[in-house]
Amino acid sequence: MSIRLSRRKAMILSVAGVLSFGSRLAAQEEGLRLAFIPQENPEKLLGDIVAITGWLAGQIGVPVEGFVTIDHAAAVEALRNGDADISFMGALPFVLAEAEIGAVPLLSEVYRGATSYNGRVFVRRDSGIETLADLRGKDIAFADPISESGYLYPLEEFVEAGLVTGPGDAEAFFGRIFFAGGYQQAMQAMAEGLVDASGAGQYADLLLTPQQQAKVTWIAESEPIPSHVVIARPELDTGLQSRFVDAMMRLNEAGNRNLLRYLYGPDGYVRADPKAYEGVRDMARRYGLLE
């Protein structure tokens, strides 16, 4: 399955105060362009990007530009076209980008001391929905069609339960399926009663308000998934790549850990192990996303 997008579809939201998406830095060694996926509210993410790119620029010694893509596929397209040098994304879009453009994994997120997490199916506590079978004919919001914890792994729980065989017949099981554009958007749609359930990452409920968190629960959990990854386009200068990785690893230091809140809030980063994503590659093959 190709995830190539037209340039029109790959439009992004530019970050105020930094270089625009359309502008190119004079030379690769003079700066870095970072693509961020809209896992959270894009407006909040824009402010976070300004803060973290400013810090990274000071650490690396070159200008750092950041922008929010419309989805995972647009982030991969930006890497393909050279409009981005590095991107933050999930494990599934990484393995697709790896196969299509030779993307290189640099860093993996750490949450709760682990470099893996789970996908979950969330519902409201007062919904009366207790099992996956109870969602027959109901509406569900997933985060993104090219997302492991925000689509493929939660959907796999319905496959394991014998309710669907895959994406092809999922629409016959559910009432309607929506792709909300991110964890927070999918969770908000469920919490506000716009849909009956959401498929998202294990910690996606933390993106809700405390009042909303108290009103939601989860009814199914997937097998462990490798955590989100930071990847680079293969042509990126290895020296600049190394300086970026070294700067990001300094976020693990006590004096810098407060800056992690500007990067989706992980507990820290470790250097990525390409072998850790083999299970995701297998899942992508089973669903026809990889050959």
Side-chain angles (χ1 to χ4, degrees), residues 11-25:
M11 291 289 286
I12 54 84
L13 300 171
S14 295
V15 178
V18 296
L19 297 175
S20 70
F21 175 61
S23 66
R24 297 296 184 92
L25 297 173

Side-chain angles (χ1 to χ4, degrees), residues 91 94-95 108 115-116 153 224-227 272-281:
F94 156 60
V95 301
S108 294
T115 55
S116 64
Y153 278 72
I225 310 167
S227 62
D273 177 6
K275 295 179 181 178
Y277 297 87
E278 195 55 46
V280 182
R281 296 183 186 98

